[in-house]
């Protein structure tokens, strides 16, 4: 009976190669990009998917577990176990969310190959990217006959290749060198050349496009290392082309990549980031900063906080640390409080969205929205609707620390400390004792500066210890409430979610 309308939902792997207890979902979009460091099982997932189906016709490639998991003295693959979840229509009957288990408990994989579900599967491995000239073993002149291919689908492929590579292709040829050896060729800018002269990336684009555009509806296409040999812009253009084709022909495409820039296309593709420990393999459904760090070795900081001085820096670091997001927070200083409005306006006028940014005032000046709006109006001028909206959005970016009226920030910190009774921590008690010795100063900054000086501490370390002590008091929650609430709202931006949690 005819099988159609196949849809892959998810794959659960209890054990396969180095993958342990993995659940990866392919829902939402037709294309799924799998990212992750080397050695965590990205290619293994593609290999497993290729082997989960049998082809509908004998003349099509029949991928078997032994093709990818060849038994050897170090790996017999016994104990391998995985489950496929998929939907398909058989004649008029729809079979939804069918579970199909696979595994190897002895010398054979189960189920037997002819009992696997049916689907057209096209696997495009890394070996498919080897430039033809490097695969050619002869070192003498190569003769071949040329025939032009002019079917409608080839015209479409030429158009899409032109878009991907920003190069005008006008013809597609088939070259025959005899003894069954055939390969493609193209014409561009009036020059005809074969795959023997193509760049590796150019050859890959044409091979992939032909595979994708010749695939029948509901096919599953698996591409290992999609980014390999491709410039970033060519790769992104290729994904856009594949996305359109997948949408119109109900194709599902799963590919692996190391290119973190792929997240810019998350509106078109599912992002799945693979990472493993010795006990478990995780699949995160979005590539958040921690995932990018694992890919690139650098830690992006998506949350940006602008403050007046180094005391405020220590306060923000403490709040972020308490929320467990310190590694995601970048802290910049703008100096005097009045500079807050100039810097904020400058960023917005330059086109920065500041969507994940706030500007924190110490709380002694410009506390009210009226005062803040007046300052913003001086740097964001105009009475038109656009100017008003810009000022309104700017106001939402300004947060104040909560301190009593007519008191300076350092004086307030000092007052919290001297009101503390003796605590268990000796270092904290010493800070309290020194603070109580400071009764009057000629500059409010000295309420904090003198504590650090008398204890002979490095300023950064001293501020951190003082703020640690203040954060242990009942006053802390109200003092930092506005900033903490905003930072808490940003946690979903940087918190990874696994397939199991969806």
């Amino acid at each position: 009976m005819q099988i159609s309308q196949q849809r892959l939902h998810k794959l659960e792997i209890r054990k396969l190669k180095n993958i342990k207890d993995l659940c990866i979902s392919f829902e939402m979009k037709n294309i799924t990009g799998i990212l992750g460091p080397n050695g965590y099982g990205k290619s293994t997932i593609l290999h497993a998917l290729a082997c989960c189906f049998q082809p509908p016709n004998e003349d099509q490639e029949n991928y078997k577990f032994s093709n990818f998991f060849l038994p050897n003295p170090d790996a017999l693959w016994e104990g391998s176990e995985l489950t496929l979840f998929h939907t398909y229509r058989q004649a008029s009957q729809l079979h939804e969310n069918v579970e199909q288990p696979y595994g190897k408990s002895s010398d054979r994989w189960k189920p037997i190959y002819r009992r696997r579900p049916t689907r057209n599967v096209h696997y495009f491995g890394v070996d498919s990217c080897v430039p033809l000239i490097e695969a050619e073993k002869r070192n003498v002149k190569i003769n071949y006959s040329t025939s032009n291919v002019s079917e409608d689908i080839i015209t479409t492929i030429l158009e899409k290749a032109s878009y991907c590579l920003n190069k005008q292709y006008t013809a597609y040829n088939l070259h025959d060198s005899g003894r069954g050896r055939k390969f493609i060729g193209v014409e561009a800018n009036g020059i005809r050349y074969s795959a023997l002269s193509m760049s590796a990336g150019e050859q890959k684009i044409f091979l992939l496009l032909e595979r994708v555009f010749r695939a029948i509806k509901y096919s599953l296409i698996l591409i290992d290392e999609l980014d390999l040999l491709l410039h970033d812009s060519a790769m992104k253009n290729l994904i856009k082309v594949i996305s359109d084709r997948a949408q119109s022909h109900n194709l599902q495409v799963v590919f692996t990549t190391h290119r973190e820039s792929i997240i810019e296309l998350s509106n078109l593709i599912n992002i799945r980031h693979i990472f493993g420990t010795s006990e478990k393999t995780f699949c995160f459904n979005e590539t958040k900063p921690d995932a990018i760090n694992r890919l690139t070795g650098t830690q992006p900081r998506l949350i940006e906080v602008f403050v007046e001085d180094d005391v405020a820096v220590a306060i923000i670091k403490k709040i972020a640390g308490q929320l467990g997001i310190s590694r995601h927070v970048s802290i910049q200083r703008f100096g005097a409080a009045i500079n807050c409005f100039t810097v904020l306006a400058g960023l917005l006028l330059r086109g920065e969205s500041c969507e994940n940014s706030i500007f924190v005032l110490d709380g002694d000046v410009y506390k009210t929205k009226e005062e803040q709006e007046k300052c913003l109006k001086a740097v964001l001028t105009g009475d038109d609707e656009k100017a008003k909206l810009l000022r309104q959005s700017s106001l939402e970016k300004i947060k104040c620390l909560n301190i009593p009226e007519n008191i300076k920030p350092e004086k307030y910190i000092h007052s919290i400390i001297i009101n503390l009774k003796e605590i268990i921590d000796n270092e904290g008690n010493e800070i309290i004792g020194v603070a109580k010795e400071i009764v009057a100063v000629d500059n409010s900054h000295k309420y904090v500066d003198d504590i650090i000086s008398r204890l002979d501490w490095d300023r950064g370390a001293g501020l951190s210890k003082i703020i640690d002590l203040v954060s242990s008091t009942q006053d802390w929650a109200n003092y930092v409430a506005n900033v903490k609430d905003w930072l808490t709202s940003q946690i979903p931006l940087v918190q990874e979610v696994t397939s199991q949690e969806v």
Side-chain angles (χ1 to χ4, degrees), residues 356-371:
N356 305 314
S357 306
I358 55 167
F359 291 72
V360 178
L361 294 170
D362 286 348
D364 55 332
V365 293
Y366 312 119
K367 296 179 67 169
T368 68
K369 291 298 180 184
E370 291 75 19
E371 291 174 307

Side-chain angles (χ1 to χ4, degrees), residues 117-369:
T118 299
R119 190 171 188 180
N120 282 283
V121 177
H122 303 272
Y123 174 77
F124 196 93
V126 174
D127 59 343
S128 306
C129 303
V130 177
L132 185 59
I133 190 62
E134 294 184 17
E136 182 58 55
K137 301 303 182 183
R138 289 179 286 175
N139 56 4
V140 295
K141 180 182 178 181
I142 300 175
N143 293 306
Y144 52 75
S145 60
T146 300
S147 58
N148 179 257
V149 184
S150 58
E151 55 185 306
D152 289 343
I153 201 167
I154 291 299
T155 301
T156 301
I157 290 171
L158 288 171
E159 291 174 356
K160 301 306 181 183
S162 297
Y163 168 70
C164 291
L165 296 167
N166 192 30
K167 185 175 181 179
Q168 192 60 54
Y169 293 95
T170 55
Y172 186 96
N173 301 315
L174 186 64
H175 302 298
D176 189 342
S177 63
R179 296 193 299 274
R181 289 293 309 280
K182 296 181 180 181
F183 46 92
I184 67 169
V186 295
E187 291 183 26
N189 301 321
I191 301 173
R192 191 180 82 180
Y193 54 98
S194 75
L196 291 166
S197 302
M198 281 184 174
S199 70
E202 186 179 28
Q203 177 182 306
K204 180 175 183 176
I205 290 282
F206 273 98
L207 291 175
L208 272 175
L209 287 177
E210 184 155 10
R211 192 77 61 93
V212 169
F213 278 85
R214 290 193 183 279
I216 67 171
K217 286 188 174 183
Y218 301 104
S219 293
L220 174 63
I221 300 173
L222 309 170
I223 308 169
D224 204 6
E225 304 283 9
L226 175 70
D227 58 298
L228 189 64
L229 306 174
L230 296 181
H231 183 271
D232 206 54
S233 63
M235 178 193 70
K236 291 175 182 175
N237 289 343
L238 176 64
I239 289 172
K240 292 173 185 176
V241 169
I242 293 175
S243 174
D244 289 342
R245 186 67 175 183
Q247 184 70 27
S248 65
H249 281 64
N250 293 301
L251 306 176
Q252 278 187 284
V253 181
V254 183
F255 68 86
T256 66
T257 181
H258 290 100
R259 199 80 61 83
E260 69 278 1
S261 62
I262 205 74
I263 64 174
E264 297 172 16
L265 299 178
S266 58
N267 61 315
L268 299 178
I269 64 176
N270 299 316
I271 299 293
R272 301 292 182 258
H273 180 84
I274 303 298
F275 184 73
T277 66
S278 57
E279 293 81 25
K280 183 176 176 60
T281 304
F282 296 92
C283 175
F284 299 106
N285 285 352
E286 296 178 76
T287 296
K288 295 294 179 67
D290 282 343
I292 297 174
N293 179 37
R294 292 191 287 269
L295 286 167
T296 66
T298 60
Q299 179 66 56
R301 301 179 187 274
L302 297 187
I303 303 170
E304 198 167 28
V305 181
F306 293 82
V307 299
E308 293 186 36
D309 54 26
D310 56 356
V311 177
V313 170
I315 292 169
I316 301 303
K317 284 183 176 179
K318 185 64 184 178
I319 303 170
Q322 290 176 325
L323 294 174
I325 58 172
S326 293
R327 63 192 182 280
H328 304 302
V329 179
S330 169
I331 308 173
Q332 313 290 334
R333 286 186 278 181
F334 52 74
I338 190 63
N339 293 341
C340 164
F341 309 99
T342 305
V343 174
L344 174 54
L347 290 173
L348 291 173
L349 290 171
R350 197 175 67 187
E352 302 283 345
S353 70
C354 295
E355 182 181 0
N356 305 314
S357 306
I358 55 167
F359 291 72
V360 178
L361 294 170
D362 286 348
D364 55 332
V365 293
Y366 312 119
K367 296 179 67 169
T368 68
K369 291 298 180 184

Side-chain angles (χ1 to χ4, degrees), residues 411-422 432 435-436 473 475:
K411 171 64 175 173
Y412 179 58
I413 291 171
H414 177 263
S415 69
I416 293 175
I417 294 173
I418 63 176
N419 286 327
L420 282 170
K421 293 183 172 57
E422 186 173 334
I432 296 168
K436 288 180 176 180
T473 69
D475 299 283

Side-chain angles (χ1 to χ4, degrees), residues 441-477:
V441 295
D442 59 358
N443 184 316
S444 65
H445 293 291
K446 290 187 177 180
Y447 282 109
V448 170
D449 293 349
D450 280 7
I451 296 175
I452 295 171
S453 177
R454 294 185 188 204
L455 291 171
D456 195 28
W457 281 338
D458 170 79
R459 182 166 179 81
L463 285 173
S464 179
K465 292 179 180 182
I466 289 170
I467 297 304
D468 280 348
L469 179 60
V470 174
S471 70
S472 69
T473 69
Q474 293 181 345
D475 299 283
W476 176 255

Side-chain angles (χ1 to χ4, degrees), residues 63 95 166 192 230 351 373-374:
Y63 303 103
H95 301 266
N166 192 30
R192 191 180 82 180
L230 296 181
E373 190 168 19
K374 182 179 178 181

